[in-house]
Amino acid sequence: MIASLTRAATELVATAHSLFQRRLTHGSTGNISLRTPDGILITPTGVSLGSVSLDRLSLIDNDGRHISGPAPTKEAFLHAAVLRARPTANAVVHTHSTHSAAVSCIDGLDPENALPSLTAYYAMRVGKLRMLPFHAPGDASLEGLAEEAARDVHALLLSNHGPVVAGDSLPAAMDALEELEETAKLYLLLRNVPTRLLSTDESYQLATSARPRN
């Protein structure tokens, strides 16, 4: 493996293990990708993020086609679509994290913005959360919808499934993913409780003052 891929692989594996150890994913669910000069490095299919290793990562091209390594996650097309839509993004994290997945199952959410801005850091790190209609995992007909939605927002919620978050780096994508998960937890705790939301102006000011996170 060439040096640039080795560095990217080391970062990707460390992130995968961290997600699993902190129970932001479970079993063999979830997948992570990182753009490199040689293609998109991505976790393989059927492997727990807790046991991903440097020598068992996949490489795909910008269209999601397999280049080398083991077979990529069946949702490789989703990562490629988001990275095509967001040329300044370099990483995508997709999990089935419990609270975000729970919110994705609630009926009647606004598909244009599935979670309200409850906290300042949510407004800064996530902003607007687009919710996409249900597709079975690996259903490539989701590709076009995801690419279109990701042109406007860097955080998506797949109905009855889980979040997909892009960032200019893996740490940025992880920050946004974790903020989304914590806000989903707050949202579930506060259901049926009188709640003050951040106003549109407050959310906008916070979002525009934050460092861009794709």
Side-chain angles (χ1 to χ4, degrees), residues 47-81:
V47 176
S48 165
L49 293 188
S51 59
V52 169
S53 59
L54 290 174
D55 60 344
R56 295 293 294 167
L57 294 174
S58 307
L59 193 67
I60 61 173
D61 67 13
N62 197 49
D63 294 315
R65 291 186 292 256
H66 187 203
I67 297 173
S68 64
T73 169
K74 59 179 173 289
E75 291 166 327
F77 69 87
L78 187 58
H79 291 252

Side-chain angles (χ1 to χ4, degrees), residues 1-12 32-42 57-62 67-68 83 87 89-92 168 170:
M1 188 181 290
I2 61 177
S4 61
L5 277 178
T6 300
R7 288 192 297 271
T10 299
E11 183 180 13
L12 192 148
I32 310 173
S33 64
L34 184 60
R35 196 198 304 266
T36 79
D38 304 286
I40 300 168
L41 198 63
I42 193 165
L57 294 174
S58 307
L59 193 67
I60 61 173
D61 67 13
N62 197 49
I67 297 173
S68 64
L83 290 172
N90 290 300
V92 176
D168 58 3
L170 267 177

Side-chain angles (χ1 to χ4, degrees), residues 15-27 48-51:
T15 301
H17 291 177
S18 175
L19 278 169
F20 186 83
Q21 289 161 5
R22 290 181 296 132
R23 298 196 59 78
L24 287 164
T25 189
H26 59 276
S48 165
L49 293 188
S51 59

Side-chain angles (χ1 to χ4, degrees), residues 90-170:
N90 290 300
V92 176
V93 179
H94 166 50
T95 68
H96 299 180
S97 40
T98 303
H99 300 91
S100 300
V103 169
S104 81
C105 299
I106 296 173
D107 191 27
L109 297 179
D110 179 359
E112 294 300 311
N113 195 17
L115 272 178
S117 290
L118 292 170
T119 67
Y121 277 96
Y122 181 81
M124 290 190 288
R125 291 179 175 167
V126 179
K128 192 174 180 182
L129 178 67
R130 287 280 297 276
M131 188 167 184
L132 301 185
F134 176 74
H135 288 68
D139 182 350
S141 65
L142 180 61
E143 183 173 5
L145 292 174
E147 186 169 359
E148 180 181 2
R151 293 192 185 105
D152 297 323
V153 297
H154 72 278
L156 306 173
L157 187 62
L158 309 182
S159 182
N160 300 86
H161 192 157
V164 178
V165 180
D168 58 3
S169 64
L170 267 177

Side-chain angles (χ1 to χ4, degrees), residues 155-210:
L156 306 173
L157 187 62
L158 309 182
S159 182
N160 300 86
H161 192 157
V164 178
V165 180
D168 58 3
S169 64
L170 267 177
M174 285 287 288
D175 278 352
L177 184 284
E178 292 179 69
E179 198 64 45
L180 197 164
E181 174 65 5
E182 289 303 309
T183 302
K185 185 188 298 185
L186 288 175
Y187 178 78
L188 294 169
L189 287 169
L190 292 169
R191 293 196 84 197
N192 304 315
V193 175
T195 304
R196 180 194 181 274
L197 306 179
L198 293 179
S199 69
T200 301
D201 286 345
E202 288 168 335
S203 296
Y204 177 77
Q205 290 298 326
L206 288 162
T208 54
S209 66

